[in-house]
Amino acid sequence: MVGISRSAAVAAASTLVIFGTPQIANAGTSSGDAVVVDGTSFALNGDNVSYRFHVDNSTGDLLSDHFGGSISGSLPPAAVPQVNGWVGMPGRVRREFPDQGRGDFRIPAVRIRQTAGYTVSDLQYQSHTVVQGKPDLPGLPATRGSEDDVTTLVVHLYDNYSSVAADLSYSIFPKYDAIVRSVNVTNRGEGNITIETLASLSVDLPFEDLDMISLSGDWARERRRERRRVEYGIQGFGSTTGFSSHLHNPFLTLVAPSTTESQGEAWGFSLVYTGSFAVNVEKGSQGFTRAMLGFNPEQLSWNLGPNESLTSPECVSIYSKEGIGGMSRSFHRLYRKHLIRSQFATSNRPPLLNSWEGLGFNFNESSMYKLAEESAALGAKLFVMDDGWFGNKYPRDDDDAGLGDWQPNRQKFPDGLDPLVSNVTELKAANTSTDLRFGIWIEPEMVDPNSTLYHEHPDWALHAGPYPRTLRRNQLVLNVALPEVQDFIINFVSNLLKSADITYIKWDHNRGVHELPSPSADHEYMLGMYRVFANLTSRFPDVLWEGCASGGGRFDPGVLQYFPQIWTSDDTDGLERISIQLGTSLVYPPSAMGAHISAVPNQQTGRTTPIEFRGHVAMMGGGFGLELNPEELDEHDKAALPGLINLAEKINPIILNGDMWRLSLPEDSNWPAVLFISEDGSQAVLFYFQVRANINRATPWVRLQGLDAQATYNVDGVGTYSGATLMNMGLQFPLDGDYGSKVVFLEKQ
Ligand code: GLA
């Protein structure tokens, strides 16, 4: 699996390099070694991807050769770029780690303010190492795998003028066609330097006709898929909110203009980070397209003293020749198996009932217990008490007080939480001997000015000196970079978990960062927050942790490493949710999505959809549940719930472990459809929706994908057909009226 070790590589016959074209004597083959090094030419080989680059002997710069479908052996000679006009050679080649100030006028991946004040760097190849497996990134979330899963190449660069070292790490997970890159910069000089820009990944593709796909939105409208042409110049997006945000997601896909869901080339890039980030795409004069993901330079000004280092988050790149869907499935598998660390990553999730939309802040111990009783009677297996249970001097009866005071409110819970939790956990889920489990909502990184915590520790809130501390939802953000704040959070959450039989936490986070004490405070916060997440999730591995941030404001791979599921959106309207969940699924596995049935008219949109439609949409998420007060439902809806919960439980293992095929998209079709196929291919489940009634036209055929053409499948309630028939001809499901839906099981014979 390994390529040549460093010593062997150095001893290998020297590589003849024509500018930009290494004549590799010993290159990888498409099915060969994961990392192959020949002299100073490097090949990373996945099952269906090759990534190649080499050192330009005349400059020491790393030049890119290929990132795409598998290639093998020597590379054909590349034409030497013509240098005339203002752009020098560095601006006419494809570079792995572009700097600024020496003739490359495109957007840089690194910009360092040197001790003397210059912002020029000259990072040249020095050496490299090949490591079996993948070393962890200090203090940061990262993909992980055994020596059989992943191999890592580290290329060591050095700037002789400034004594700055940069290590580029490339890890290849061959089975997923995934290449993961991060960068570590170390100050080896004697003065201080400042890192002003640092991209985790920079790649120059030799194409100028590309589309870019991103996920953008706002609160209750998260992660809508947006596709646009890459035009000349720089286009991009990012977050300056301090967190990954509802507005943009740290994810980018580049595709050929002809690429569709099921066909064509796609390059997907996903930044494993929860802080502010920047994604930029630049089409330059040379016909290349540069893509870059990393820290947001507007919130990075990182000081490094002698021998200090800064490590960037990692960026996962996945190449697929099987369209956008193929790329998504590789991300899903990789993230399920090599990113999410929780034992719940692929194990069945209990259907839950959350109190938020049903009771809001308006409850006490007995009304909460009553809701739990109703939940159990419907068949829920986990009951979650949301916001409003804490605070005494400043009770949390509304959203303007109490955050930070994590003691149960004595008016609502005279003897603490334990009596409620004990009573709830004695209830049995309907028709089972399964105890109802208890979960609770917290928002640990926040403080209300109306709280004892704030009065005791006003300096714990993020603020910039004398500037006013601007409020959102009446609250401030704690500075989680401070060790005392980290310890406060770790202690109160640990004590809460020990105080009663609590087996689920919803970790919320309801505002962005405004005034920062310094430009590097955001990343310092992230390092503190990851320390807290790592500490608590490893100390309480049996707890199911669900992330949340005003709905889906922090749905990113950084959070996913610690929390196996994330609340996808505060918009629980079934129709809106199809777009939100399918958008989210471009990169994140369906197993990670919290998705609930709520009451109608929907609290966000005012829309009324049938309970079956809402239920079917919600069961496409791994964390299925209800978010309503059953007492307020009409007879039909209430009667439908036990059946929907049963169905969701039956489907859940396929959603958690299976492959997702987006058959038709809500933005293109009145009949969105999704097929999930179990990991072993033996079972599948089809979700089919009709948004508006179909008047006076034929019922469309839905053609399945991903099945075994030679096999036969029993289609529940329809008949037995070959995979080829189901994929090439399809099935028809006539549905009545608006918001129709159908869930169909397929069993391989
Ligand atoms: C956020 C969450 C909701 C709910 C409320 C409680 O908005 O997204 O699900 O927990 O906070 O205040």
Side-chain angles (χ1 to χ4, degrees), residues 310-372:
L310 174 66
T311 304
S312 79
E314 67 180 31
C315 181
V316 179
S317 313
I318 284 185
Y319 170 79
S320 171
K321 252 190 183 145
E322 289 171 13
I324 301 161
M327 172 203 74
S328 297
R329 285 185 289 281
S330 291
F331 270 116
H332 297 173
R333 287 189 217 120
L334 180 78
Y335 281 180
R336 276 199 309 259
K337 293 183 198 274
H338 297 287
L339 176 70
I340 306 171
R341 304 268 164 94
S342 163
Q343 58 171 282
F344 294 99
T346 53
S347 66
N348 292 2
R349 313 278 169 79
L352 64 81
L353 187 142
N354 175 297
S355 67
W356 178 244
E357 286 202 24
L359 297 182
F361 291 105
N362 187 17
F363 60 83
N364 57 24
E365 187 172 329
S366 67
S367 57
M368 201 45 88
Y369 179 71
K370 191 157 171 260
L371 186 62

Side-chain angles (χ1 to χ4, degrees), residues 564-587:
Q565 69 186 46
I566 302 177
W567 180 227
T568 314
S569 176
D570 276 346
D571 192 337
T572 50
D573 175 281
L575 182 58
E576 299 295 311
R577 271 296 189 118
I578 298 181
S579 302
I580 294 171
Q581 292 174 201
L582 291 198
T584 304
S585 77
L586 269 191
V587 53

